[in-house]
């Protein structure tokens, strides 16, 4: 499983951390960015910590092209990330909730994004179990 967003500092890291926390015993999880930033989003990290998910040891990193052919599934988070050569993996795109469009900012925004991603991660893990 590879989660991808543009900077690999927020949403893809959140998805990977939540998948590892909730389903990591059965799913090998990675994350990457199309244009990696320099640091993890502090709000994302705090929001994850509140539910016991960790990004310890993680940092923004680029996509390893070889990984696109070795993972079973690639999930692109958001509309902006584009993978030049998607490889042979099944690819999905998640357009996640954006609370700022409703005027919700800060900590409340990050928690709503986290909760949306959690719901999607759980649904994906269930679907993957049925594919096996």
């Amino acid at each position: 499983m590879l989660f991808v967003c543009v900077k690999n500092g927020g949403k893809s890291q959140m998805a990977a951390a939540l998948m590892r926390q909730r389903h990591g015993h059965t799913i090998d999880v990675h994350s990457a960015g199309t244009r990696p930033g320099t640091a993890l989003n502090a709000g994302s990290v705090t929001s994850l910590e509140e539910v016991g998910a960790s990004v310890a040891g993680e940092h923004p990193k680029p996509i390893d092209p070889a990984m696109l052919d070795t993972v079973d599934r690639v999930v692109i988070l958001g509309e902006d990330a584009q993978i030049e050569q998607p490889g042979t993996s099944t690819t999905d795109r998640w357009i996640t909730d954006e609370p700022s469009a409703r005027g919700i900012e800060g900590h409340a925004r990050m928690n709503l994004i986290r909760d949306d991603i959690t719901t999607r991660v759980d649904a994906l893990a269930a679907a993957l179990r049925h594919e096996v």
Side-chain angles (χ1 to χ4, degrees):
M1 170 68 47
L2 174 65
F3 291 101
V4 175
C5 68
V6 175
K7 293 184 179 180
N8 189 226
K11 293 178 181 179
S12 60
Q13 290 282 355
M14 290 179 93
L18 290 162
M19 183 65 86
R20 279 192 297 270
Q21 176 201 32
R22 300 169 72 82
H23 309 283
H25 57 284
T26 58
I27 299 173
D28 189 25
V29 183
H30 306 275
S31 71
T34 57
R35 292 188 313 272
T38 58
L40 298 180
N41 178 299
S44 295
V45 173
T46 299
S47 184
L48 287 168
E49 288 172 345
E50 289 178 358
V51 296
S54 174
V55 288
E58 291 294 326
H59 62 280
K61 54 200 158 297
I63 297 170
D64 175 354
M67 188 172 288
L68 295 173
D69 289 326
T70 59
V71 296
D72 294 325
R73 183 77 54 114
V74 175
V75 175
I76 303 169
L77 288 95
E79 296 178 35
D80 297 333
Q82 302 296 327
I83 298 177
E84 297 290 323
Q85 298 175 333
T88 59
S89 304
T90 299
T91 302
D92 298 318
R93 183 177 298 273
W94 293 351
I95 307 301
T96 57
D97 181 30
E98 186 43 69
S100 63
R102 301 185 305 277
I104 302 169
E105 297 293 340
H107 191 66
R109 173 183 176 262
M110 294 313 301
N111 287 349
L112 288 168
I113 292 170
R114 179 202 63 212
D115 294 347
D116 179 37
I117 292 173
T118 299
T119 300
R120 293 168 184 267
V121 159
D122 289 346
L124 177 57
L128 291 173
R129 279 192 299 276
H130 285 97
E131 288 179 10
V132 176

